Amino acid sequence: MPISKWQTFSDSSQTLLIDYGMDAKGDLLVLRLNFERGEYLEPIYIPREGPDGFNATDLFISYQGQDLIYVFPSATDKFYLYNSLGKLVEKYNYNDGDYTRFYISGFYSDIFYNQGEIMLPTINDTRFDDRDYFEKVIPFQKYDFTSRKFTDQVIYPEFVGGKFLPSNLSGGQISSYDSKTALINYPFSDSLYIYSFENKSIDAFYCGIENGHKTKFLDHVPDKEVSREYVVKEKNYEFAKTHNGKVYRLVSHLKNENSRELTPIDIIRRDLRGVTMIEYNPEDKSINYYEMPIARNFVFQENKLVVGGISIREDENQDTFRKFYVYQLN
């Protein structure tokens, strides 16, 4: 599983790191690491082909429990519910006229589950070179399991209208703020957004990092070279999570603004991008910043943050080991 995505799952008895991706055969492999026991649980295999298959080359999952695993294949008009044996339990059609489907945004996609409804990051077939892209694409939509269709939506903030971005930064990420509200994170915005399920309102608050340069939006369609330079030099707010009443937001950025004068290749070779975790306290609106290692997994557990590195090693028995860093939260 050379490329994987991740999320976390918590209930009253455990906190799990859910690490998943395609295996060598193209089937879905779901690994669950229990931090209390310090070991992996039995892997879950879900076939790509056959009567229980999801038939896609990329996907996102939402692990809601042992036998409640939602699979959202890319570029398809449906999603699936599986159990822990890899058996298909239910199939859901999006039932939308413009071929709306799940938008896999980076490694940190998520959904918000609320009383028989889910809020999903979505995309349609609008071209990325369309000047009205941010007016024609709906970044988040609420799906109702009873009616089996979209029932509500969240649109992009007004300030991106008529602008362009590299395609992989145009989506968004959603997570739970509390039982009735969702936290919306856009990789290009220094603000976070809170969506209320009750009154359908959206509130914004600043949760960014001041490093001497305001994010630049493009007034033209970026080619590959422009996109590469943008991704290397601009800030990328990769995800946001709520834990113990505080909001934590991860941003990757240049370590020093002087590096902006270098070429993207030099920046990458010299390891000049860093990672900062932003801690926002809604009670007094205070913000703290913490320097983080380059890592893949960020798991909040009680008063700790467990950070998983990107490197792994194998011993002579072909057992795989991964290094984790444990931080004490204030």
Side-chain angles (χ1 to χ4, degrees):
M1 196 168 66
I3 300 176
S4 65
K5 303 180 180 70
W6 74 276
Q7 61 192 251
T8 58
F9 171 78
S10 296
D11 59 17
S12 59
S13 62
Q14 61 185 349
T15 296
L16 302 177
L17 167 66
I18 310 297
D19 200 359
Y20 66 95
M22 304 291 197
D23 64 12
K25 297 180 180 179
D27 297 329
L28 172 60
L29 174 61
V30 182
L31 303 177
R32 298 170 295 166
L33 175 57
N34 185 309
F35 284 101
E36 293 292 334
R37 292 160 51 180
E39 63 183 22
Y40 282 95
L41 306 183
E42 188 70 21
I44 297 173
Y45 291 91
I46 296 177
R48 183 174 67 176
E49 308 295 339
D52 289 327
F54 50 85
N55 300 309
T57 57
D58 196 10
L59 51 74
F60 162 80
I61 78 166
S62 179
Y63 185 93
Q64 298 289 325
Q66 174 80 7
D67 289 312
L68 203 63
I69 305 168
Y70 291 101
V71 173
F72 299 87
S74 63
T76 63
D77 59 354
K78 58 181 66 70
F79 65 98
Y80 307 89
L81 175 63
Y82 287 90
N83 63 23
S84 59
L85 299 177
K87 299 297 182 181
L88 179 63
V89 177
E90 193 67 68
K91 182 187 301 183
Y92 301 92
N93 292 314
Y94 291 122
N95 193 27
D96 194 273
D98 64 354
Y99 194 45
T100 293
R101 56 204 183 271
F102 191 95
Y103 187 30
I104 299 174
S105 181
F107 298 107
Y108 309 115
S109 297
D110 208 344
I111 68 171
F112 180 76
Y113 188 92
N114 181 63
Q115 298 180 351
E117 296 177 315
I118 52 175
M119 185 70 81
L120 309 172
T122 56
I123 193 173
N124 59 31
D125 280 341
T126 300
R127 289 168 55 101
F128 283 105
D129 59 359
D130 191 326
R131 181 162 291 278
D132 297 324
Y133 177 88
F134 290 108
E135 284 79 30
K136 294 179 179 179
V137 173
I138 306 300
F140 300 99
Q141 295 195 62
K142 184 191 297 181
Y143 185 90
D144 181 81
F145 283 107
T146 301
S147 61
R148 300 203 173 203
K149 64 181 181 180
F150 292 117
T151 58
D152 195 18
Q153 61 187 27
V154 174
I155 62 175
Y156 282 105
E158 291 183 0
F159 67 84
V160 293
K163 297 181 175 65
F164 297 97
L165 291 170
S167 60
N168 61 316
L169 295 179
S170 64
Q173 180 251 349
I174 192 167
S175 58
S176 172
Y177 186 76
D178 57 33
S179 61
K180 296 182 180 179
T181 53
L183 185 66
I184 291 175
N185 175 81
Y186 294 107
F188 51 77
S189 176
D190 59 10
S191 293
L192 286 173
Y193 302 82
I194 296 179
Y195 169 80
S196 170
F197 270 71
E198 289 188 345
N199 55 29
K200 301 181 181 180
S201 64
I202 299 177
D203 294 316
F205 62 93
Y206 176 80
C207 190
I209 180 171
E210 299 291 348
N211 63 345
H213 178 80
K214 188 173 179 61
T215 299
K216 175 181 67 176
F217 295 98
L218 304 174
D219 58 4
H220 60 282
V221 181
D223 57 23
K224 288 185 178 180
E225 183 177 349
V226 172
S227 294
R228 186 185 308 111
E229 183 169 357
Y230 190 101
V231 169
V232 171
K233 294 185 178 182
E234 300 297 327
K235 289 175 285 189
N236 179 5
Y237 292 98
E238 300 189 19
F239 76 82
K241 300 284 185 183
T242 303
H243 181 71
N244 285 347
K246 295 182 180 180
V247 176
Y248 294 88
R249 193 180 196 194
L250 189 78
V251 53
S252 58
H253 56 87
L254 291 177
K255 295 178 181 178
N256 189 314
E257 279 298 296
N258 294 332
S259 304
R260 187 172 293 277
E261 305 302 321
L262 302 176
T263 66
I265 293 178
D266 284 337
I267 291 173
I268 294 172
R269 285 176 177 172
R270 294 163 62 177
D271 191 26
L272 296 177
R273 280 187 69 87
V275 175
T276 296
M277 183 71 77
I278 306 170
E279 180 187 67
Y280 174 83
N281 189 336
E283 291 189 1
D284 58 12
K285 296 181 173 54
S286 61
I287 297 181
N288 294 311
Y289 301 98
Y290 304 97
E291 184 179 347
M292 291 280 112
I294 302 296
R296 281 290 305 276
N297 313 112
F298 297 84
V299 180
F300 296 94
Q301 183 179 27
E302 298 176 345
N303 62 343
K304 294 182 175 62
L305 169 63
V306 183
V307 178
I310 58 175
S311 61
I312 59 176
R313 67 178 179 86
E314 269 189 10
D315 64 8
E316 61 277 6
N317 298 319
Q318 294 186 323
D319 291 327
T320 300
F321 295 87
R322 178 182 297 168
K323 180 185 291 185
F324 287 89
Y325 305 87
V326 181
Y327 295 85
Q328 183 76 36
L329 299 174
N330 292 337

